[in-house]
Structure formats: structure tokens, C-alpha cells
Amino acid sequence: MEMTKKRISSKKMIGILALLTAVAILIFLGWGLNQDNMGFFLPRRLKKIGAMLLTSYCIGYSSVTFQTVTNNKILTPSVMGLDSLYLFIQTVIVFFFGSKQLTMMTGMSSYFLSIGAMLVFSFLLFALLFWKEGKSVYFLVLAGMIVGGLFNGLATFMQVLLDPNEFLILQGKMFAGFDKINEDLFGISILIVLGSMILTWRDCRTLDAMALGQDHAISLGIPYRRMLFKNLMNTAVLVAVSTALTGPITFLGILVASLSREMLITYHHSTRILGAFFLGAFALIFGQMVVERVFEFNTTISVIVNFVGGIYFIYLMVKEAKR
């Protein structure tokens, strides 16, 4: 009976989150529309909504599964250093070739360069660290944090040496935004994410078992190391796609994964991932409305999300320290 109540409450919460997200979408699309401007604003707003939904799925799925495979409630894929690697790539282009080259590489070349570099880095990191048996996933997290810190330090060093005008061009790549989404890149991103969904749609039950810990998962017949490597690479793919398409949003992952776990009383990853998706979509849509209507584009959505997410992260750290 108790389990039934928990499932019903989780389903109700998912329904509420879906309803809030739908209302936010309708408000975002319909705000200030009339017959005269509908043809201009509606297609652009639909493209923004599509990009925000895609980003929320990538970050929500990767954050929930990453916390499961690392067995840690305050870690997100950003600790692997992929965001820092993305900023390092953009900084290197401007530092050695100038901002004009970065401006010219706004299409396929920049997109595939960023995704390719992040995936190669992730594969080498995972393969080297899991080549030998007995390597802990925490060793992977530690190595990712160190390498990410190295990329961030090198990028900061080069940014200090840049011409101020070129730094302004680079600064546009340092923060996520949904105002100028390339339709071709958006279509490719959808195809990549759909491929990821097809390859991982059966993994939710496996993740339920992996959440019990390595020993319990192995005793239940789960090929633990293979599934761990598969989920880490899938996480790298989703993070790379969302980062290359819209830019880095560091604290959105910890925000949606933790809130989904707190609000949904269930161990089923299919439900928690769905909850994280709706939470992320609502946060991005509401944040974009604040950027456009309140701040009149004088800030970016990543600043707002990282501010709220950073406060929540501090709250989680204090909460975990008291236990």
C-alpha cells in the first residue's frame, strides 16, 4: 500500500511539472503576439522552445545518471571538465587565429570541432582510467576535476593576454544563450540526441540496480563496468551536444537532478529523468522570460540559472555536512 501511494504521488508530481512546463511554454509563445507580429516572432520563439527542451533533456538525463553511476548526490557531469574544455577550445581559436576566425566558425566546423574534442577527451579519460580492473569511479571524477582545472587555468591565462575587443567576442561563447540558434545545428543535435535515446532507452531498469551499489548490481547480474562506461560516454555525448549548441550552463544539472530526487519519492530512473526534464524545461523557459522581459537582454540565462543553482549547491553542501 505504501509503495502504491509513493507511485501515485510521483505520477501526480510529474503531472504538475508537465502542466507548469506547458503553461510556461504557452506564456512564452503568446506574450505580446498579435496578427501583425505573429509571423515574425512565433517561428523564432518556437525555435527557442525547441532548443530549451533539447538542452533540458540532455542536462537532466546526464545529471541524473551521472549521480547514479558515481553514487554521489552533489556531483554533475561538469566535474569531468567538459565545460572547461569547450571554453578552452574557443579561447585557443581566438588567441592564435583571432576573433574573426571564431566568428567565421559559427556553423558546422565549430560545432563538430567542439563536440569531437569533448568526445575524444572523454573517451581517452574513461578508457585510460578503466583500462585496468579495480579503478574507482572517484578516481575518474578526481582526474576530470584536475584536467578541467588545467583547461580552465590555461583558458584564463590566454584570456588575460587577449585584446579587449577580441575578448568581448569570446565572451559571447562563455555564456549560454538561446537567442541565435543555428537551425542546421539544431537539426543535427536532435538526430544525435534521438540516437542516444534509442541506445539507452532500456537502461533505466539497469540504472535502478546500479543505484544499489557495485556489489549489489553485480550480484543481480548487471555487467557493471560495461554499463558504467556506456553511461559515462552517453553523458559525454549529451553534455557535448548541449554545450556546443547553446553554451555551458554549469549549475542547471545539480539543480534539476537534486530537485527531481527530492520531489519524486521513487527509485525509478525513468520517472526521475522525466522529472528532471520538466524541471529543466521550466527553469530555462522561465529564466529566458526573465532575461527578455525583466532585464531586457542585459544579461544571459546562464547567469540567472548559475546564480540560483549556485545558492542551491551551497545549501546541499551545508545539508550534507550536517549529516
Side-chain angles (χ1 to χ4, degrees):
M1 181 65 70
E2 184 180 356
M3 182 60 70
T4 303
K5 290 182 179 179
K6 289 182 179 180
R7 289 178 179 174
I8 292 175
S9 65
S10 296
K11 290 180 179 179
K12 287 182 178 179
M13 184 58 67
I14 289 292
I16 293 172
L17 293 176
L19 180 61
L20 290 174
T21 304
V23 171
I25 291 174
L26 292 176
I27 294 175
F28 184 84
L29 292 177
W31 192 296
L33 282 185
N34 53 52
Q35 292 182 350
D36 297 328
N37 60 24
M38 182 179 296
F40 178 80
F41 286 114
L42 187 58
R44 288 163 175 77
R45 292 181 182 180
L46 286 172
K47 185 167 63 175
K48 289 181 183 179
I49 289 292
M52 286 186 277
L53 293 177
L54 184 70
T55 301
S56 64
Y57 172 78
C58 291
I59 295 179
Y61 186 98
S62 60
S63 299
V64 171
T65 57
F66 188 78
Q67 288 188 352
T68 296
V69 298
T70 58
N71 195 26
N72 192 296
K73 297 180 180 180
I74 60 175
L75 292 180
T76 60
S78 60
V79 301
M80 292 190 299
L82 294 181
D83 293 348
S84 300
L85 176 58
Y86 171 79
L87 294 178
F88 175 70
I89 294 171
Q90 310 304 314
T91 305
V92 167
I93 294 173
V94 175
F95 187 82
F96 289 103
F97 303 103
S99 58
K100 183 180 294 186
Q101 182 67 26
L102 182 65
T103 305
M104 293 173 60
M105 294 177 61
T106 55
M108 299 290 183
S109 55
S110 176
Y111 179 81
F112 284 111
L113 174 64
S114 300
I115 289 183
M118 286 186 277
L119 292 184
V120 169
F121 165 73
S122 300
F123 179 80
L124 291 176
L125 183 65
F126 301 156
L128 290 175
L129 294 181
F130 284 104
W131 189 261
K132 295 181 180 180
E133 292 287 339
K135 290 291 186 180
S136 171
V137 70
Y138 288 107
F139 187 71
L140 164 68
V141 173
L142 179 61
M145 293 176 66
I146 294 173
V147 177
L150 174 64
F151 286 140
N152 190 46
L154 292 174
T156 302
F157 174 74
M158 287 186 285
Q159 289 166 11
V160 172
L161 301 178
L162 286 177
D163 180 86
N165 295 323
E166 292 194 330
F167 179 74
L168 288 176
I169 301 297
L170 175 64
Q171 199 172 28
K173 293 285 187 178
M174 297 170 63
F175 301 98
F178 298 93
D179 300 321
K180 297 179 181 179
I181 301 296
N182 189 313
E183 294 184 3
D184 294 332
L185 301 185
F186 181 56
I188 294 174
S189 299
I190 291 177
L191 293 177
I192 295 175
V193 173
L194 285 176
S196 169
M197 293 174 68
I198 293 172
L199 292 174
T200 60
W201 73 278
R202 289 184 175 180
D203 290 348
C204 286
R205 292 185 177 180
T206 303
L207 289 168
D208 295 341
M210 293 179 67
L212 300 174
Q214 180 175 353
D215 294 337
H216 291 290
I218 292 175
S219 66
L220 292 173
I222 303 297
Y224 187 83
R225 294 183 67 83
R226 182 170 65 83
M227 291 304 303
L228 180 63
F229 187 84
K230 176 184 177 182
N231 279 279
L232 287 174
M233 281 306 302
N234 182 61
T235 295
V237 170
L238 295 178
V239 173
V241 168
S242 63
T243 303
L245 181 65
T246 62
I249 310 179
T250 305
F251 285 103
L252 182 61
I254 186 67
L255 192 63
V256 299
S258 299
L259 288 177
S260 176
R261 184 177 59 252
E262 294 293 333
M263 297 172 67
L264 301 173
I265 311 174
T266 179
Y267 63 88
H268 292 293
H269 280 72
S270 57
T271 305
R272 288 173 55 190
I273 290 170
L274 192 59
F277 165 71
F278 285 127
L279 285 167
F282 179 80
L284 291 178
I285 295 169
F286 181 77
Q288 187 65 27
M289 285 193 288
V290 171
V291 169
E292 296 181 4
R293 305 300 172 183
V294 178
F295 293 103
E296 297 181 348
F297 295 98
N298 289 320
T299 186
T300 61
I301 187 172
S302 60
V303 173
I304 296 175
V305 172
N306 289 339
F307 175 74
V308 177
I311 294 175
Y312 187 71
F313 179 73
I314 295 174
Y315 162 75
L316 289 178
M317 293 291 290
V318 174
K319 182 180 176 181
E320 290 294 323
K322 290 181 178 179
R323 291 185 176 180

